[in-house]
Amino acid sequence: MKARAFSYFRAATIDHALDAHARAGDDARFIAGGQSLVPALSLRLQAPRLLIDITHIDELRGVRREGGHLRIGALTRHCEMLSEPLIAEFAPLLHAAAPFVAHPAIRNRGTLGGSVALADPASEFPAMILALDAEIEITGPSGRRRVKADDFFIDLFETALQPGELITAIYVPLFRADQRFAFDELARRRGDYALVGCGMLATFAGERIHDIRISYLSVGNTPTRVRGTEATLIGSRLDAERIAAAQAALEGDLAPPESDEVPPAMRLHLARVLLGRLLGRLGEGA
Amino acid sequence: MSGFDDSLLNEADETVRVRFVVNGRKVACEVAPRETLVDCLRDKLELTGTHAGCEMGACGACLVQLDGRAVHSCLIFAVQADGATIDTIEGLSELGAIADLQAEFHRRNALQCGFCTPGMLVNAHELLSQTAQPSREEIRDALSGNYCRCTGYEAIVDAIDAVASERMKAGGAGGGVT
Ligand SMILES: Cc1cc2nc3c(=O)[nH]c(=O)nc-3n(C[C@H](O)[C@H](O)[C@H](O)COP(=O)(O)OP(=O)(O)OC[C@H]3O[C@@H](n4cnc5c(N)ncnc54)[C@H](O)[C@@H]3O)c2cc1C
Ligand code: FES
Ligand code: FES
């Protein structure tokens, strides 16, 4: 199928993009990589009057250190998660998750801002910025604000983003020497959306976990932190007994929805398997 | 200062003029904003080597190089590509950049109907220009977004693997390919 007719506006600055959206109202959509929006338009799931192309806005580009954070511009492409040295060094969890996002040609165009704005619960990056305790910089008609990932993902495809607001950057706390991370997912075929995926970031005091954030994709309506499971791990060493306890706790944190493809009990089982693997890797210092 | 002209909102059906450098030549054409790049290449520029299959980003038949990187031409509107450099299978063939890949696909029966082949070649070209000697696992991974409904993937992986080795032997990553 083909998209319904729309007008196209190429914005040169953030102000231009916001202004165009304000004038077109509900009938406008920003387009970044287009790797989710174009299929949605082709299927006529969406039929905006105006597409505002934000990919030529230089202010939305670039990766740099800013205080204790890495500021990753909204237009940073998925392939840059693999090639950008600052990301490998200071946000290695995003680097580790990137090869699991779609296929190489899609990673050449898809953007971090687009992925986070869409907030697909089956997507890798929204779940990982939750594990990373990242902040989302949002710019709108009434100015700029930063929202914690914990407060950003509200419900299925629903976020703290108001219509007409742009994600301008993601701020990730710099990865430190006392931290460890791990990511993995289970999918039927590489590049497909995962049946279950999980990423974690832990801060260690010696061999004991001082703090840990564990986030799942594809287990509910939003990217999902498992706080009860995290609590069982704080202050402990990652021995077999403790990992088993964490796996048992997972049941209290996750309630995967009914689906034709994967029954909830199977998803929960896969989530436990992943948790065991990833905590095992953290324990080995991975 | 606003960069937005309100009359735009009433011009959805009107065509706009776009310019690209396609296969080394400057071209201009008139497109409606909703026209995808694959449709523009095939219908307006008569470059029918780029195939349209699913038109959803799932099959990989429509891959082209946009500013030097492989992208799905079904997932980008022609207006978005205004000003870009595009290389299609025709251009890559004319340049000879993928002659060894084409010969090896032929030799190993890595194509039958040929529908998927342009996308496979564009993807293989991208892979080998980034990783000189990918493992078979890496080749499979890179091709995971390209469907072939007749040949089966084994011969395609064999062909790419063989070309990578040949290029390595001939001395140098990428073997003169840009
Ligand atoms: C075959 C296929 C397989 C895929 N597999 C995966 C996968 O395994 N994992 C995965 O995570 N993704 C997958 N994707 C989706 C892909 O990764 C997209 O790149 C990503 O989800 C959206 O990013 P984008 O830049 O393309 O956004 P777009 O498609 O341009 O936009 C998506 C939405 O976000 C809005 N938007 C975009 N940028 C901003 C911004 N800066 N501020 C506010 N709103 C914005 C748009 O208006 C739109 O509503 C797949 C896509 C395809 C076609
Ligand atoms: S036609 Fe573009 S991926 Fe199938
Ligand atoms: S050769 Fe026919 S689809 Fe691949």
Side-chain angles (χ1 to χ4, degrees):
Chain A
M1 263 209 323
K2 305 291 177 191
R4 271 239 300 273
F6 55 79
S7 300
Y8 169 85
F9 174 65
R10 186 181 277 195
T13 65
I14 293 173
D15 285 346
H16 284 175
L18 296 178
D19 176 54
H21 204 294
R23 294 191 202 199
D26 283 350
D27 271 353
R29 292 285 179 284
F30 297 121
I31 183 163
Q35 303 299 286
S36 294
L37 186 58
V38 177
L41 296 175
S42 297
L43 285 170
R44 301 205 177 184
L45 297 172
Q46 296 198 35
R49 270 171 83 201
L50 178 70
L51 273 198
I52 302 164
D53 189 344
I54 60 171
T55 59
H56 297 267
I57 304 178
D58 285 338
E59 303 156 83
L60 299 180
R61 256 173 239 296
V63 180
R64 61 170 189 267
R65 283 176 72 164
E66 224 181 84
H69 286 87
L70 194 65
R71 182 186 195 277
I72 308 177
L75 286 179
T76 304
R77 297 196 188 279
H78 303 335
C79 60
E80 293 175 78
M81 299 294 162
L82 292 164
S83 63
E84 169 58 61
L86 284 173
I87 289 180
E89 184 174 357
F90 294 115
L93 184 58
L94 294 180
H95 180 84
F100 296 87
V101 179
H103 311 291
I106 291 170
R107 296 200 290 268
N108 281 344
R109 280 197 70 75
T111 68
L112 181 63
S115 182
V116 173
L118 188 66
D120 185 333
S123 277
E124 288 78 5
F125 291 139
M128 292 314 100
I129 69 164
L130 187 57
L132 288 168
D133 198 13
E135 289 171 32
I136 295 100
E137 181 187 81
I138 298 173
T139 309
S142 50
R144 190 164 275 197
R145 68 184 198 279
R146 269 160 78 160
V147 177
K148 286 242 172 212
D150 280 321
D151 302 320
F152 183 79
F153 301 106
I154 295 170
D155 204 341
L156 190 62
F157 298 116
E158 192 188 331
T159 67
L161 208 59
Q162 298 298 312
E165 286 187 326
L166 267 180
I167 292 181
T168 37
I170 308 293
Y171 283 82
V172 179
L174 298 179
F175 184 69
R176 302 192 313 260
D178 60 350
Q179 293 184 315
R180 297 178 199 171
F181 68 94
F183 176 88
D184 208 348
E185 69 179 38
L186 300 166
R188 292 217 159 90
R189 184 184 61 146
R190 183 60 164 259
D192 283 356
Y193 284 103
L195 300 172
V196 178
C198 180
M200 53 184 65
L201 179 75
T203 307
F204 281 77
E207 278 310 301
R208 287 182 192 276
I209 291 185
H210 173 68
D211 185 36
I212 187 164
R213 292 173 66 100
I214 305 174
S215 177
Y216 276 89
L217 45 125
S218 283
V219 293
N221 282 349
T222 58
T224 310
R225 251 186 93 186
V226 287
R227 291 168 194 265
T229 307
E230 290 170 4
T232 63
L233 293 163
I234 307 282
S236 47
R237 286 171 202 278
L238 279 175
D239 53 26
E241 203 179 326
R242 181 59 58 174
I243 292 176
Q247 284 175 305
L250 204 54
E251 196 157 1
D253 282 325
L254 293 183
E258 279 295 340
S259 87
D260 294 342
E261 247 191 300
V262 191
M266 178 176 158
R267 234 185 255 278
L268 189 58
H269 171 73
L270 295 177
R272 272 196 215 103
V273 169
L274 265 187
L275 186 70
R277 279 188 201 167
L278 293 177
L279 288 175
R281 281 192 222 160
L282 278 197
E284 288 157 17
Chain B
M1 257 305 283
S2 158
F4 188 69
D5 169 4
D6 281 317
S7 66
L8 252 185
L9 284 172
N10 304 314
E11 289 175 353
D13 283 318
E14 287 172 30
T15 58
V16 286
R17 194 167 179 78
V18 293
R19 291 184 175 77
F20 326 111
V21 176
V22 180
N23 300 331
R25 281 179 284 272
K26 285 187 186 165
V27 298
C29 56
E30 303 280 332
V31 295
R34 65 168 167 160
E35 192 168 334
T36 55
L37 182 60
V38 65
D39 287 341
C40 174
L41 290 169
R42 291 179 57 85
D43 302 343
K44 300 271 161 64
L45 301 174
E46 296 181 3
L47 291 166
T48 52
T50 302
H51 292 161
C54 64
E55 301 189 67
M56 299 290 303
C59 75
C62 66
L63 289 177
V64 299
Q65 284 202 322
L66 183 87
D67 294 329
R69 297 299 297 261
V71 305
H72 294 87
S73 57
C74 72
L75 293 185
I76 174 169
F77 294 111
V79 280
Q80 290 177 276
D82 187 19
T85 295
I86 296 155
D87 292 292
T88 69
I89 193 69
E90 288 91 346
L92 295 174
S93 300
E94 277 168 30
L95 274 177
I98 52 169
D100 50 356
L101 276 166
Q102 287 167 309
E104 203 61 34
F105 266 58
H106 189 237
R107 189 171 307 130
R108 291 175 184 265
N109 287 328
L111 76 164
Q112 284 183 41
C113 77
F115 190 79
C116 70
T117 313
M120 289 285 182
L121 289 169
V122 170
N123 213 349
H125 178 55
E126 164 123 343
L127 174 66
L128 296 186
S129 52
Q130 287 184 31
T131 314
Q133 183 81 70
S135 65
R136 290 181 72 84
E137 184 85 0
E138 286 172 315
I139 295 172
R140 285 190 171 274
D141 190 24
L143 295 181
S144 62
N146 291 70
Y147 285 165
C148 177
R149 296 286 90 138
C150 26
T151 303
Y153 301 93
E154 200 65 17
I156 295 171
V157 175
D158 288 346
I160 297 169
D161 191 24
V163 169
S165 304
E166 279 307 313
R167 287 187 186 180
M168 286 301 278
K169 262 189 257 156
V177 173
T178 50

